[in-house]
Amino acid sequence: MVASGWIPTAYNRGGHQRAERERSLASAPGQPKPILSIRDLSATYAEQGAILPVLDRVDLDVGEGEFVALIGPSGSGKSTLLDIVAGLIEPDRGEIRLFGEIHAAERRLGRSAYMQQRDLLLPWRTAVANAALALEVKGVDRRTARDQATQRFIDLGLQGFETVYPAQLSGGMRQRVAFVRTMLGGQRLILLDEPFGSLDALTRASAQDWLLDVLSRDQRSALLVTHDVDEAILLADRVVVLSGRPGRVIHQEPVVLPRPRTRDMIASAAFVAARIRLLEQLGLVHAGAGS
Ligand SMILES: Nc1ncnc2c1ncn2[C@@H]1O[C@H](COP(=O)(O)OP(=O)(O)O)[C@@H](O)[C@H]1O
Ligand SMILES: [Mg+2]
């Protein structure tokens, strides 16, 4: 259910200071105007008669043209959060403002481009026909749609595989096809759920470069879920950390590296400092370790 008026739970429960702190975490001053604004979002699943809390009063903004990465332990609700923004499911409470408007789930469908964790290619369509689907559903004629998809195939090293069916592609190739389909739709907000998870290191690097290039050319915004702290820092303007289930926003890390980003920035002091802070937040290293 979507609350019609936004009444922060924490205020009602007397958790005034926490609500204030989380509000300030949601968007730093001077951020671009949000095109996605999530407030007080909580979600649960019903499992074998029990209620499983998955997201807990999440506040999160993505600004126009901004790239936000979301990291957190497995099961912290990252995919659920993207499902909610995409309109596949409705949260228990909270407000989702997309391009300035609040809509129920079914009206959020299709407003953002969503690449889910599973590639979800149609088995009866060839690779290029799968990728072209994002344009065909918008009324672009089949020939033009496939020409555009074919062009993107070259960028991602998929040339020669246009007429191959998904079952004959490797996992990494299917993911790239799904990635092309997601990017072709032209939506201003892209939701990516671990898009590079199963790619080998070299393909992953070129897919990251391609993503950065497409986003910077089109001024699109992205919310990327990733397990990879380095990938988050390299790509994003801001990294948001969720706690373990139920996921709460426990940290936001603005990435101060200049753009265009290059891979050698990984060795910079700013990069290393951000990595340590994020790993600390994830409980993977401890503050002061080694000193
Ligand atoms: N459809 C569902 N029904 C019941 N439980 C679910 C469902 N989808 C996810 N979950 C559970 O909700 C929690 C959060 O899942 P998910 O959003 O996929 O987390 P993440 O993407 O951060 O790993 C997990 O414990 C998962 O098992
Ligand atoms: Mg997930």
Side-chain angles (χ1 to χ4, degrees):
M1 277 175 292
V2 168
S4 52
W6 172 50
I7 305 160
T9 332
Y11 281 95
N12 300 341
R13 292 182 188 159
H16 183 89
Q17 283 176 335
R18 187 184 146 192
E20 281 287 273
R21 191 172 155 267
E22 293 186 353
R23 201 83 50 238
S24 67
L25 278 175
S27 60
Q31 291 291 322
K33 191 166 167 283
I35 64 164
L36 169 66
S37 175
I38 295 172
R39 289 292 176 274
D40 200 30
L41 181 88
S42 295
T44 54
Y45 288 111
E47 214 175 38
Q48 293 165 353
I51 301 290
L52 181 73
V54 173
L55 291 167
D56 181 26
R57 289 169 283 164
V58 169
D59 290 339
L60 175 69
D61 285 344
V62 178
E64 183 89 56
E66 194 184 18
F67 193 134
V68 175
L70 185 63
I71 60 176
S74 183
S76 58
K78 302 179 298 295
S79 296
T80 303
L81 183 70
L82 294 195
D83 282 352
I84 291 170
V85 174
L88 299 181
I89 52 178
E90 199 68 294
D92 292 77
R93 62 171 297 133
E95 181 184 279
I96 298 125
R97 197 177 282 270
L98 207 47
F99 308 113
E101 290 176 52
I102 302 168
H103 292 298
E106 69 269 18
R107 300 223 31 227
R108 291 197 296 278
L109 279 173
R111 282 178 190 247
S112 49
Y114 185 18
M115 178 173 167
Q116 291 182 260
Q117 209 165 353
R118 293 161 296 136
D119 64 49
L120 297 176
L121 297 179
L122 302 174
W124 59 88
R125 280 188 161 231
T126 62
V128 83
N130 262 290
L133 201 58
L135 291 170
E136 286 179 35
V137 296
K138 297 178 92 184
V140 175
D141 73 83
R142 183 170 282 207
R143 160 82 57 96
T144 310
R146 290 186 188 190
D147 283 352
Q148 287 193 27
T150 301
Q151 191 54 43
R152 302 292 181 131
F153 268 40
I154 297 167
D155 299 334
L156 279 177
L158 287 167
Q159 68 272 39
F161 293 91
E162 290 82 356
T163 56
V164 173
Y165 287 89
Q168 271 83 54
L169 294 171
S170 69
M173 284 184 153
R174 280 202 299 274
Q175 233 172 341
R176 276 179 279 164
V177 174
F179 183 47
V180 174
R181 181 178 61 189
T182 308
M183 301 306 285
L184 274 180
Q187 286 97 332
R188 282 160 61 210
L189 175 65
I190 318 281
L191 310 170
L192 299 166
D193 198 350
E194 308 205 23
F196 310 130
S198 68
L199 304 185
D200 62 84
L202 277 180
T203 315
R204 189 179 182 113
S206 70
Q208 290 168 347
D209 291 344
W210 187 72
L211 174 65
L212 283 175
D213 185 46
V214 173
L215 292 177
S216 68
R217 265 190 284 127
D218 303 359
Q219 274 293 299
R220 291 200 252 173
S221 312
L223 181 56
L224 165 92
V225 169
T226 178
H227 264 116
D228 183 336
V229 170
D230 283 1
E231 177 171 276
I233 302 168
L234 190 62
L235 298 180
D237 298 306
R238 189 152 49 89
V239 183
V240 177
V241 184
L242 286 187
S243 67
R245 194 181 67 221
R248 283 185 299 111
V249 175
I250 53 170
H251 180 73
Q252 300 220 30
E253 180 76 32
V255 181
V256 294
L257 303 170
R259 292 195 185 271
R261 299 275 169 86
T262 52
R263 223 152 278 283
D264 56 4
M265 289 176 182
I266 286 180
S268 70
F271 197 106
V272 172
R275 181 199 283 137
I276 290 171
R277 277 193 295 276
L278 290 169
L279 290 174
E280 275 172 11
Q281 291 296 330
L282 292 167
L284 297 173
V285 298
H286 296 288
S291 62

